[in-house]
Amino acid sequence: MAKHIFITGGVVSSLGKGLTSASIGLLLESRGLKINIQKFDPYINVDPGTMSPYQHGEVYVTDDGAETDLDLGHYERFTHAKLTRDCSVTTGQIYGEVIRRERHGDYLGKTVQVVPHITNEIKRRIRKLATDDVDVVISEIGGTVGDIEGLPFLEAIRQFALEEGRENVMFIHLTLVPRLSATGEIKTKPTQHSVGKLREIGIQPDILICRTVARLNKEVRQKISLFCNVPLDCVIEEKDAEYSIYEVPVMLARQNTDILVMKHLGLKSDGKDMREWTNILKILRKPPRTIEVALVGKYVELYDSYKSVYEALTHAGIANRAKVDVRRVSSDSLKSARDVRAALKGVKGVVVPGGFGHRGTEGMMLAINHARRKKLPFLGLCMGLQVACMEFARNVCALKDANSAEFAKDTTHPVITLMDSQGNVVDMGGTMRLGAYPCRLLKGSKARRAYGAEEISERHRHRYEFNNAYRDIFEKKGMIFSGLSPDGLLVEMVELKDHPWFIATQAHPEFGSKPTRPHPLFRAFIKTALDLAAGKK
């Protein structure tokens, strides 16, 4: 029978429950255990697919086409768990399913209530992940203890522990232990109140993980232990990482977090192997070289909007034994070639990531034009491919008003057009081309050399595609269609013939990158940039 870990958060939001959950998953995997991991989000949206990046950050996409919270990206980067749509659950999904069953008559005339009907559906979603091949299911409860929308989830996991037995369930609470800047004092009262709220609900944490900017001395930990009714060795310090988020698993391991978890749940292993992870940290701490690239996007003001892209660039740096500094450039700020020259001065490569809507696309085009003419390594992702094709159409193919049908429905040259399958779509949520699709790479292309394979699979999230009516003129002018769908109908990847490294993909390859397995496109992009910076051809 699978064991269960529930991870909750207190005091404030954005403490890093996703990173902590992923780190615990990694530690258990390092001991030979098989884990699965899921996120419960208390918002009423069915998924984050229709939410603004400024509201929610990046929308992460799984292989099976679920639009999910960005924490699932942490789960996949840190662990080997294969995530599906069952790993991302929202209040909207829970209530939607209960209402569907009520309309179908499944409740036999009973009054439908939060307890037991909503809580039972939450528990059903937890048990769904506990398959025969899984040793531990980790469930992260989004939000902050005390939020009204999170109460059904907390009640559900309280009931779950009662039903499954406390020896099979562990509660880990992530909390904030702040330091007052005026006095330098470390304050434990917020943590005491947060744990008090949990205990009112009927949940006693087994482990407290304390986010802090300063070291917690023994006296502070003893105070937290006493007032929160948690053993002293189960009060774990999670100090802000000095170099990288990838330090968190090692930080937790040093305090025997994995041993505490295994002891409570009665799990056994032959030992722990963290060598691969510690080798990664060595490179991150003392990289032999550094390179700066620019990310030109619409949502750069919020770091989490392009979280997976930044991480994929970090992974590419690890593969090339280099630190990658990312200069975030708002495409809205680029109004002229002069703006672009100033914004991109000194960078050794340019990335244009995904997005929706016309805003900022003209600035992206100016940046892409600069990268194309100056032979700067360029990587376009999703919208990055579409805007690169618009730039090429206007400035190389002389199709002066070339545009995307998404931005200008009456353009004479819609080089980017709505996919046939999207023509009759009414609902916006969950209706794009989503999830993993195969792609065949052209022999002799840079893309194929980077991947080292003829056929690949990448995740997608888009409604628009390259217009095949323009393939001939693009090819005549030097663009290579290096990646196509297996039937040859969809353009998945393009590159330029006379350029050291200019590749754009309709996919989101950043979702497939891990620190232990950097994505081939990002790895080759950074390698080319490093080689050119060093004077190599």
Side-chain angles (χ1 to χ4, degrees), residues 260-274:
L260 294 169
V261 169
M262 295 183 69
K263 182 179 177 182
H264 179 94
L265 295 176
L267 297 166
K268 299 185 185 302
S269 81
D270 296 330
K272 181 165 58 179
D273 185 358
M274 295 281 289

Side-chain angles (χ1 to χ4, degrees), residues 60-245:
Y60 189 80
V61 179
T62 57
D63 271 351
D64 64 349
E67 294 175 289
T68 75
D69 183 82
L70 61 81
D71 279 328
L72 271 76
H74 293 313
Y75 303 163
E76 286 205 325
R77 285 188 284 272
F78 279 62
T79 75
H80 296 98
K82 290 301 292 179
L83 305 187
T84 67
R85 61 182 66 252
D86 292 330
C87 300
S88 179
V89 182
T90 68
T91 292
Q93 292 175 26
I94 297 294
Y95 275 82
E97 178 60 18
V98 169
I99 291 168
R100 184 195 67 79
R101 290 184 182 182
E102 185 275 331
R103 293 288 81 188
H104 192 255
D106 292 0
Y107 299 120
L108 303 175
K110 292 180 181 177
T111 301
V112 178
Q113 298 175 291
V114 172
V115 180
H117 301 97
I118 296 299
T119 52
N120 282 350
E121 177 60 18
I122 294 169
K123 289 183 288 182
R124 187 183 74 82
R125 301 293 184 107
I126 297 168
R127 290 189 172 101
K128 195 172 182 180
L129 262 64
T131 53
D132 291 340
D133 61 336
V134 171
D135 297 307
V136 182
V137 175
I138 300 171
S139 300
E140 176 192 345
I141 311 299
T144 307
V145 170
D147 294 345
I148 190 169
E149 59 265 33
L151 287 174
F153 294 97
L154 297 176
E155 171 60 18
I157 64 175
R158 182 197 69 79
Q159 294 176 16
F160 190 92
L162 194 64
E163 294 163 4
E164 299 292 320
R166 281 297 273 116
E167 71 278 8
N168 297 314
V169 173
M170 188 169 209
F171 294 114
I172 298 178
H173 190 53
L174 181 67
T175 181
L176 178 67
V177 180
R179 181 179 65 182
L180 300 184
S181 58
T183 62
E185 286 184 280
I186 292 175
K187 309 302 289 185
T188 67
K189 192 66 72 177
T191 291
Q192 294 177 43
H193 283 308
S194 182
V195 173
K197 276 286 183 185
L198 266 181
R199 291 167 71 180
E200 285 175 14
I201 294 164
I203 296 173
Q204 169 62 52
D206 300 299
I207 290 178
L208 280 179
I209 297 181
C210 303
R211 280 298 310 275
T212 174
V213 297
R215 297 299 302 269
L216 303 181
N217 61 36
K218 188 174 181 180
E219 182 182 354
V220 170
R221 292 175 62 247
Q222 285 175 331
K223 188 175 182 181
I224 292 171
S225 170
L226 177 65
F227 286 100
C228 295
N229 196 32
V230 174
L232 181 61
D233 62 345
C234 293
V235 179
I236 306 296
E237 174 189 290
E238 192 176 273
K239 194 170 176 288
D240 289 354
E242 187 176 352
Y243 300 101
S244 164
I245 59 172

Side-chain angles (χ1 to χ4, degrees), residues 309-378:
V309 180
Y310 298 135
E311 294 307 315
L313 288 167
T314 296
H315 305 161
I318 292 168
N320 288 284
R321 301 185 62 80
K323 180 185 178 186
V324 178
D325 289 329
V326 180
R327 184 185 302 179
R328 291 187 277 168
V329 178
S330 171
S331 57
D332 279 333
S333 69
L334 304 179
K335 306 297 184 186
S336 66
R338 178 181 293 179
D339 292 339
V340 173
R341 287 193 298 272
L344 302 185
K345 185 178 180 181
V347 301
K348 305 304 180 184
V350 176
V351 179
V352 173
F356 295 91
H358 181 262
R359 180 181 64 81
T361 56
E362 296 296 325
M364 291 178 191
M365 263 189 279
L366 287 169
I368 292 169
N369 177 270
H370 180 84
R372 179 176 59 78
R373 290 185 302 101
K374 299 296 183 181
K375 306 296 185 184
L376 270 177
F378 168 76

Side-chain angles (χ1 to χ4, degrees), residues 242-286:
E242 187 176 352
Y243 300 101
S244 164
I245 59 172
Y246 300 118
E247 292 179 75
V248 176
V250 175
M251 192 185 304
L252 297 179
R254 286 194 192 115
Q255 298 171 80
N256 299 319
T257 307
D258 50 331
I259 295 173
L260 294 169
V261 169
M262 295 183 69
K263 182 179 177 182
H264 179 94
L265 295 176
L267 297 166
K268 299 185 185 302
S269 81
D270 296 330
K272 181 165 58 179
D273 185 358
M274 295 281 289
R275 286 173 296 180
E276 189 175 35
W277 209 256
T278 53
N279 287 338
I280 287 168
L281 290 182
K282 287 177 185 177
I283 298 171
L284 289 170
R285 285 171 182 157
K286 291 186 177 179

Side-chain angles (χ1 to χ4, degrees), residues 112 191 263 266 295 333 382 431 459 510 519:
V112 178
T191 291
K263 182 179 177 182
L295 184 141
S333 69
C382 195
T431 56
R459 300 176 197 182
E510 65 270 24
H519 192 279

